[in-house]
Every structure is written in structure tokens, then in C-alpha cells.
Amino acid sequence: MTTTFPIEEKINTLLRQMTLNEKIGQMNQLSGTNEYNEEMIRKGAVGSFLNVSDVDDAKRYQKLAVEETRLGIPLVMARDVIHGFKTLFPIPLAQSCSWNEGLIEEGCHIAAKEAKAHGYHWTFAPMIDISRDPRWGRIAESLGEDPLLCGRLGAAMVRGFQGDDPAADDRLAACAKHLVGYGAAEGGRDYNTTIIPERSMRDTYLPPFKASVDAGALTMMSAFNEINDIPASANHFTLKQILRDEWKYDGMVVSDWGSVTEMISHGFAQDEKESAKEAINAGIDMEMVTGSYVKHAKELLAEGAISMETIDNAVRNVLRLKFRLNLFENPYFTGDTEEVTLCQSHLDAARKAARESMVLLKNNYMLPLKAENTVALIGPLTHAKEDQVGCWSMDLVSESSVTVKEAFESSAFSTTFAAGLDSPRSTETKGFAKAIANAHNADIAVMIVGEDAILSGESHSRAFIDLPGKQTQLIEAVAATGTKVVLVVMAGRPLTLGSVLDKVDAILYAWHPGTMAGPAVLDLLSGIESPSGRLTVSFPHTVGQIPVYYSRKNTGRPPREEDRGIPAGTPLNPEGFASYYLDVDFRAQFPFGFGLTYSTVTYSTPSLSTNSISTTGSLTAFCEITNTGDTPIHEVVQLYVRDLVGTVTRPIKELKDFKRVALAPGETATVKFTLTADQLAFHNRDMQRVVESGEFHLWIAPHSEAGDPVSFTVKT
Ligand code: GLC
């Protein structure tokens, strides 16, 4: 987002008029509505609110700020619009599996329309924390394990929220969060410690944030976690050296909820005053909800612990956001709230997004269903309006949420329904009998199982990530009837499905698909559209395997094909001597990039425009893909590269590009990628971003474990 002179002039003119109290007030964000908050507005002691969920309250608060304070500086109103507002789209992890930047951008645009109409100007999204630990509840909000994909999709979200003019009636300011490394929490426990070496920071965790900055994200949010012993909200390396000095970022940085005063609990600050000092000096421009800035900044300034220049810079960043949102000229939204909310076009878009987010993991030629099939709908998530939308769905209008049961019962299929269990975590099996009886009397059992919404999202990490409750037993009981089973899994994370995998004939991983979950599942199971989703996180066989991700290092003793299972022999002549497990395959249960369709696709060996490029050159890679089946599909073609030898060890594979390609039955398409040497850059031993010469492998493949590579070299 470019800084325009007129805005800077306006900022400085206003800044010169502001008292110290008014300046500190702009750095203060409060939540909700109460008498104290109203009093703070009147005193000019608050610059922003989150969670003012009644549009009339929002208008009243804005009127107070604009018309009853000395300078009339408008409030910026925020909300967590994470995957939709009233029309809930699939959770971000699901949306990421569409690999469809345009679809994701449009979904965020729709969310912005609905939220702006309800008085909000700013959303705390996209969440672009690289997530490689499915025990972590917030993997649900993430865009997966890969820096390139997370960066591309996060940028699409920024564009969708902000558009070309974030002040427009259908746009919001975006907020790239949580800076940085939140997903690397030890043990997958939320808010936990992270230790991230600088090279991993620069080559894995920061790139999505740089992509959001390049896409024009107006704001950023600091994380709860400590990073290498320094809390993220006091971290000069990330907040000043990276964000301001290296990236020249001129947006506004807000803390996370209480992350400033949590420095006391971290054992990093003696008290609230010291935590406020650390955050202000690190460059947290606005503090969320504790009021620590308003309480202590004046005293800190008087003591010389913070400077007026630091205060002024923070206030400039806050005012710049408000000018960029045109709030001084247009503080009140005058659009039609009801007109945009939950309109048919929004619901249709949510249904399309849900379809493209679901990933077909197994299909013993069971799907699509035949129109004449009788279907026994079974499972605790078959009719679960709130649970099917997943985490961060506080603005859901429950009756608008369409379940699988409702969708099938309004279709031409002959169906029966038995929940089998009252909820996903229920251990009461009295409902099994009806489920089993229905399965006996049907051609196909379609079972909708998984996690209720509360099992993922913030502070909801799990040590075991299998199907909760007695769902596995329910699936086994239904499968034992001999009726074919199609499993639909709704969850906020990859689950370890274990023995179930071999007992069912098809698995559609639906994640938490949102308001239109039911119609989207029906569309795919009935064959109206083929599944096209591809995994953006690796699925472990078991929780003991975590972390498992595709771009791993090779190690000095890489596992070999034969390295699996308990070896023969005795302790005297053990086999193996490689980095693998005795008791489980070292690779993912389902790898990054994987997903089936209702057809089959062949890939030619990639051809290259050249087998040698300079460190500033580029090449073009081609691959012919053919739909060898009789169903139209979308194929997500993925370009991977491996740097065989570096001055530091390099991953065995890295995603460098991808394309969604529509293929009619029998159609052959030539997919073309341009790969620049710069895309091969990484940070070397001296922490410089370099392109090194040497030999590389290149794959064009349907997922991260498929295909054979071709070689090329980079020459200085
Ligand atoms: C929460 C989350 C953050 C969210 C903020 C406001 O604790 O960590 O992602 O935007 O507080 O709700």
C-alpha cells in the first residue's frame, strides 16, 4: 500500500493538534460495549473497538467519537471475520485445499461486504501462521504447512478483504497475523514456546507475511508466543528489524488480546507498566483491550523510558489506517445491512467454496452415488448446524446453516437418518441399533463424523487426534453390516483415522465446510461436480509421528523404501540404521498436495526450455496432462524443486508453483510453468538471501510424493 503525500500531510497536521492524552488514546483498543468504554470515548482515550456486535451500538459509539470529542477522530471498528461473516465459508484450512486464489479472494470480498454493512472497518485476518502440527487447534484457521502456498492464498485474502480501495462499502482493512511463528508452538499446545532459528524464520515462517505486505495488508497483529525467549509483542527483531527496517512496512501493528500484559506471565516484564514500555518500544502501535498504554504511557514518557518520537510514530500509523479507510470523511456506513447479508449469491459462493475445499482421500469406485441408490445417513455431524461451520463463527445465523441431512432429504435420493451418537464426543451407544438397522436396509451408508467445532480453534489443542467418542466403533458396526460405507469427515484438523481407513469404501474429507456444508456434500457425492481439493497439510498415521511435513530435510540417514515395520533379526543384528520408525511408515498417511477426483489423469515427463540457467535466469517447464476418464475434473498441477546440494542443508522438495486446470474427459492440456532462479533463493550460512549454483531436480506432479524428476543446473 503506497503512502500518499496528502495523507501524510493530513496526519502531521492532525498530530500537531493532539494532546499527549489524545495521542495515547489512539493507541488504545477496547472490546464490546459498557459504560466505561463510552466514558473512554468521550475522553478521547480510545482509538478502536473490536466486538461491538450491534450495528446500532457501533453507530452510537462512532457518533460519540466524531461529534463529542475535541478533535472528532473517528473510531476504527474491528471483528474476527475469519472465514465469512453471516455467510460462513469453509474454515481457512479447508479453503486452502481448493488451491484457488480467485475463489478465496471472492469469499473474502463477500465477507467484507457483509461485515462492512454491520459497521465494521477492519478484520483480524488472514491468519497466515505456517502450521505443521495438527494437535494445534488453530491449524483450522491456517492456510497449511507450505510457505509459498500460504503466502499466495494469504495475499488473495488480503486482496479480497481490501480490494483496490479498503474504504469502499464492500471492503475491510486486513490484518496479517500472528507475527510470527505461532504455529511452531512446542507440542502443538496453543500459546506455547517457539524456538525458531533465523534461517527457518526467514525461509519458512516470514515469507507469508512478506507476501501479505506486498499485497498491501494495512495492518499486522503480533502473536502470543515467545520467539527464541522474547515475546512476539516485544520482539525488536520481528517488529522493527524485519517489518520496518527491511520491509519498510508503513502499516499499523496491533497486539493480540492481552499479549502485551502477558509478558508478566512470560516472566519478561515485572508489571503492567514494564510490559507497556516493552511493547511501545518494540513497535506495537495499538494495544488490544488491557488499557495498559492509557494507564502507563504518560508516566513512561515522563521517566524517559519511551520517547515522544515513538509515540508519534505509533499514532501516525493508527491515523494512517483511518485516513486510508476514509473514516474522517465517511465515519458512518450508510449501506443496506439486510440486502447483502446471506443473499443467494453469497450462499452460492459459499457452496462452491465448500465443494472445492473438500478432499477425496479414498474411493473404491463407490462415488459418485447412483440416483437409484438408497442412502442411510448416519453420524452425529449429519445434522449439526453450528458444528459444521467450525471455529470463529460467532456471527453465524444458525437457521441459515444447511446440513447434510437437510440437503439429502430435499434431493431425489431415498434416505433414512440415524445419528448413531448424540454428539461426536458421545460414548453412549444406544443409538447404534437404529443406525445399524438403517444400514442393513440401504444400498449405501453415508456417515458424517468428525469433530464438533469446539475441538479446534483457539486454545483447543488435542493430544490425541483420532475420531472422538465412539465414532470409530459406530463406523465399525455399520461396516460390519456389509453395506458399503462412504465416510464424510468434518474436522478442524487432520485426524488419525487408523483402522477405519480399511473399513470404509470412500472418504471425503470435508473439514468444517460452513453454512452450505450440506448442499456441497450432496453436490460431490451425487456427482454434480467431482472433488478437486488437494491437501495443504500432511496427515500423520499417528500422533506420535508429528511433525510430519513434505518439505523435510534428508538427514544423514534418510529412510529407504524398505525401512518400515519391525525388522527381523535380533538386537545382535539390527537392521535399519536410518531415520524411520520401527512401528509406522515414516511418510504421511496422506501427503501434502494429495487429493483424488472422479477421474484419472496421466502426467508426461516434464520437458524444460533449457537444462541450465544462470543465477539470474529462468526456464520454462512443460507437462502434458490427460484426463483419461469419462468425468470432467479440475486438476491441481504442482511444481516442486529440490536443491541437491547447498552451503546449508536444503529440503528434499519445495513447492514453487501450482495451477488449477480444468480437463474434460479425454482432454490433454499442456501445463507451462516459468521458474526463475530467484525462486530458488534461500538464506545461506551468512544469513544472506542467495541463489547458489548446482544441480536441481524438478517435478510436475499431482502431489508431493508423486512423479519422477528431471534435472537442471544453475551456473554462476
Ligand atoms: C484472539 C486471537 C486473535 C484474535 C484476537 C481478537 O485471542 O488470538 O487471532 O484476532 O484475539 O479476537
Side-chain angles (χ1 to χ4, degrees), residues 360-364 367 501-508 596:
L360 185 62
L361 297 178
K362 180 177 181 180
N363 186 22
N364 287 345
L367 294 175
L501 291 169
D502 299 326
K503 293 194 171 66
V504 300
D505 302 278
I507 301 172
L508 179 67
L596 301 173

Side-chain angles (χ1 to χ4, degrees), residues 181 184-186 192-197 200-201 205 225-229:
E186 274 184 5
N192 205 6
T193 305
T194 70
I195 302 291
I196 307 176
S200 297
M201 185 80 78
Y205 291 94
N225 52 286
E226 64 176 74
I227 311 165
N228 304 331
D229 310 321

Side-chain angles (χ1 to χ4, degrees), residues 42-90:
R42 285 195 177 85
K43 290 196 298 189
V46 55
S48 171
F49 276 90
L50 70 150
N51 299 337
V52 176
S53 50
D54 180 293
V55 66
D56 293 330
D57 284 338
K59 286 177 181 171
R60 182 165 54 83
Y61 272 23
Q62 191 67 294
K63 194 169 168 61
L64 276 177
V66 170
E67 299 175 19
E68 296 192 28
T69 64
R70 190 177 75 86
L71 292 172
I73 299 174
L75 299 165
V76 56
M77 310 298 267
R79 184 72 160 176
D80 291 281
V81 184
I82 308 300
H83 56 105
F85 185 64
K86 300 282 184 183
T87 304
L88 271 298
F89 281 70

